[in-house]
Amino acid sequence: MNLVLIVEDEAQIARAMQINLHAHGYQALTVSNGSDALKAAASQPVDIVVLDLGLPDMDGVDVIRGIRGWSTMPIIVLSARHGSEDKVEALDAGADDYVTKPFGLDELLARLRAASRRAGPRDEAPTLETADFVVDLAGKKIVKDGGEVRLTPTEWSILELLVRNAGKLVSQQQILTQVWGQAYAKETQYLRVYIAQLRRKLESDPSAPRHLHTEAGMGYRFDP
C-alpha cells in the first residue's frame, strides 16, 4: 500500500483527497505547508508526493527542489496555476507530473498509478553519517561536533554531488558542469579552491583528508 504525502493548504481539498485515496487503497498523509512537507518526506516512508504550489510559507517549487536534493520519489503537482512558465519551472525543478485544478478523481488516480509504475526502489534515509560529521541531505546542512557547519551554496552543491555518489569517482568535468554550467567545464582551478575550503571546514586534518579524496587528474571521491 503506497503512502501518498498530500501537500495542500486548503483543508477541505486535502481532506477530500485523503478520504478518496484511502477508499482506493492508498495510505495518505496530509500537511499544509512546505516546511512540514520537507520534514514529512524526510521522516516518513513516503512513496509519492502530491503537491500544491501555492503554499503559505514557501513556493511549492522550492519544496520540489528540497526533496530532489536527496530523493527521487515521484512528485505530482496539483496547481491552479495554468501558465506554461509555471509548468516548465516545476518540471525543471524535478516534478514528474503536473495537473491543473480543478481535476477529476479518476485523472488523479491514473496519474498516481503511472507514478507508481515509474518509481524505483524507495530512497534510503536522507542522512549520511561519518566519524567526523553528519550530512543532512534533506535539511541541506552539516552537523559537526554538535554544531552546524556553514557552507556556501556552491560548497553545498559540490558536497551534495559527491555524497550522493559516495565511494565513486566523480570527474572534474561532471562537477564543474553540474555546479557552474557547461561553460566552466575546464575551469579546474575553481574546483581545487572549493575542495580545499570544504576540507578545512569538514576534515579533522585537511592535509590528510579521510573523506574528500583527490584522484589526480581525474576527479574527486567522497568516502564516508
Side-chain angles (χ1 to χ4, degrees), residues 45-64:
V46 173
D47 295 291
I48 304 172
V49 178
V50 175
L51 171 70
D52 182 23
L53 294 182
L55 300 172
D57 60 337
M58 66 175 71
D59 193 278
V61 171
D62 292 325
V63 177
I64 297 171

Side-chain angles (χ1 to χ4, degrees), residues 120-174:
R122 182 176 287 165
D123 297 284
E124 296 180 0
T127 60
L128 187 147
E129 187 171 351
T130 75
D132 300 302
F133 54 87
V134 176
V135 183
D136 181 352
L137 290 168
K140 293 185 177 295
K141 63 182 181 181
I142 307 292
V143 177
K144 181 181 180 183
D145 299 328
E148 185 174 341
V149 179
R150 293 191 177 278
L151 300 184
T152 67
T154 300
E155 289 169 348
W156 173 261
S157 296
I158 295 168
L159 182 67
E160 180 182 1
L161 179 58
L162 292 173
V163 168
R164 288 174 66 83
N165 291 276
K168 302 176 183 177
L169 172 68
V170 183
S171 70
Q172 295 174 338
Q173 185 177 24
Q174 183 181 353

Side-chain angles (χ1 to χ4, degrees), residues 32 47 61 75 78 94 105 118 172 195 202-203 220-221:
S32 61
D47 295 291
V61 171
I75 300 173
L78 289 181
L105 177 62
R118 293 194 300 268
Q172 295 174 338
I195 291 292
L202 301 178
E203 298 280 5
Y220 298 90
R221 187 182 74 253

Side-chain angles (χ1 to χ4, degrees), residues 28-104:
L29 170 67
T30 64
V31 296
S32 61
N33 59 63
S35 177
D36 287 345
L38 291 172
K39 291 176 184 176
S43 61
Q44 302 286 333
V46 173
D47 295 291
I48 304 172
V49 178
V50 175
L51 171 70
D52 182 23
L53 294 182
L55 300 172
D57 60 337
M58 66 175 71
D59 193 278
V61 171
D62 292 325
V63 177
I64 297 171
R65 294 191 180 110
I67 292 174
R68 283 291 172 261
W70 58 271
S71 176
T72 58
M73 67 178 68
I75 300 173
I76 300 174
V77 170
L78 289 181
S79 178
R81 301 177 189 175
H82 291 249
S84 60
E85 290 183 1
D86 295 308
K87 295 178 183 179
V88 169
E89 185 180 20
L91 293 169
D92 281 347
D96 297 276
D97 206 345
Y98 194 107
V99 182
T100 54
K101 296 178 179 178
F103 59 91

Side-chain angles (χ1 to χ4, degrees), residues 201-219:
K201 291 182 178 183
L202 301 178
E203 298 280 5
S204 298
D205 182 359
S207 64
R210 298 176 60 185
H211 308 291
L212 293 163
H213 297 286
T214 300
E215 298 288 346
M218 294 186 292

